[in-house]
Amino acid sequence: EVQLVESGGGLVQPGRSLRLSCITSGFTFGDYGMSWVRQAPGKGLEWVSYIRAKAYGWTPDHAASVKGRFTISRDDSKSIAYLQMNSLRTEDTAVYFCARSDHRYCSSISCPLDYWGRGTPVTVSS
Amino acid sequence: EIVMTQSPATLSVSPGERVTLSCRASQSVNNNLAWYQQKPGQAPSLLIYGASTRATGIPVRFSGSGSGTEFTLTISSLQSEDFAVYYCQQYNDWTTFGQGTKVEIK
């Protein structure tokens, strides 16, 4: 059974940092791309970051709203994806979901997200 | 950035009814369009990708159509477990989501 479990969220002051983890099981992690998507309270979905599988160079992409502040990474030996969030702002407050993507169904740039974790809440407030 | 616009924002329907949700892209996304269902307090789940391909385990009452800029998600006969918010996602040029359509009980 495919499972994704996020952790590392919490309450943090503006300007501080937080690292989210997405621990996975039930599939060959190294074969898949991984993404982070967030959802602010009562709002819709916003894609944050994406990292491709080794076969595609492990190349990352970040939304313009977080570029230069957030960094996505992965440890294929541990089947974990990470999101390092620096210089946090109040507008980064959201539930952060990690999600898997199968490169077979992607466009040349991005992908649908076939499995999601339950999310971890991040609150940025003084 | 490609803007995805969903309509209507809210749809009030009775169980058993046929439901049609719309999603429009500000420019062509070819067939790189997915649909998700999200229930309160839960993560989204993938229903449709490639505009019309059902994801694993998705009932046949869910179908997707369209290409380019106009897309539709149809639920042929709404079941009680289908009351939720539905999002479209384009993945042709990075990724953007629509604002969602809430399907509620009439």
Side-chain angles (χ1 to χ4, degrees), chain A residues 40-105:
Chain A
K43 301 297 184 181
L45 302 169
E46 180 188 15
W47 167 74
V48 175
S49 300
Y50 168 50
I51 187 165
R52 296 168 180 81
K54 177 181 180 181
Y56 298 85
W58 286 315
T59 51
D61 281 310
H62 297 88
S65 58
V66 306
K67 193 170 289 186
R69 300 188 299 123
F70 289 13
T71 302
I72 190 171
S73 62
R74 59 190 295 158
D75 186 335
D76 288 0
S77 68
K78 296 181 179 178
S79 300
I80 301 176
Y82 301 99
L83 185 67
Q84 178 67 43
M85 305 187 294
N86 298 331
S87 302
L88 282 160
R89 305 168 179 168
T90 55
E91 56 264 36
D92 296 319
T93 294
V95 174
Y96 284 73
F97 298 99
C98 69
R100 187 189 85 165
S101 53
D102 188 332
H103 287 289
R104 292 177 296 173
Y105 309 124

Side-chain angles (χ1 to χ4, degrees), chain B residues 16 19-20 22 32-33 36-37 43-44 52 61 68 70-72 75 80-81 92-93 97 99 101 104-106:
Chain B
V19 172
T20 300
S22 295
N32 294 312
L33 191 287
Y36 299 85
Q37 177 192 71
S52 60
R61 64 180 182 273
E70 301 282 345
F71 300 89
T72 299
I75 310 172
S80 57
E81 61 267 31
N92 191 68
D93 182 4
F97 292 90
Q99 81 280 17
T101 291
E104 61 179 25
I105 300 174
K106 189 173 183 179

Side-chain angles (χ1 to χ4, degrees), chain A residues 10-48:
Chain A
L11 173 63
V12 63
Q13 293 179 327
R16 304 297 291 264
S17 299
L18 211 56
R19 189 177 83 155
L20 306 183
S21 299
C22 175
I23 300 171
T24 74
S25 60
F27 64 100
T28 304
F29 181 79
D31 290 345
Y32 292 84
M34 296 298 297
S35 291
W36 290 93
V37 177
R38 67 186 180 184
Q39 187 168 36
K43 301 297 184 181
L45 302 169
E46 180 188 15
W47 167 74
V48 175

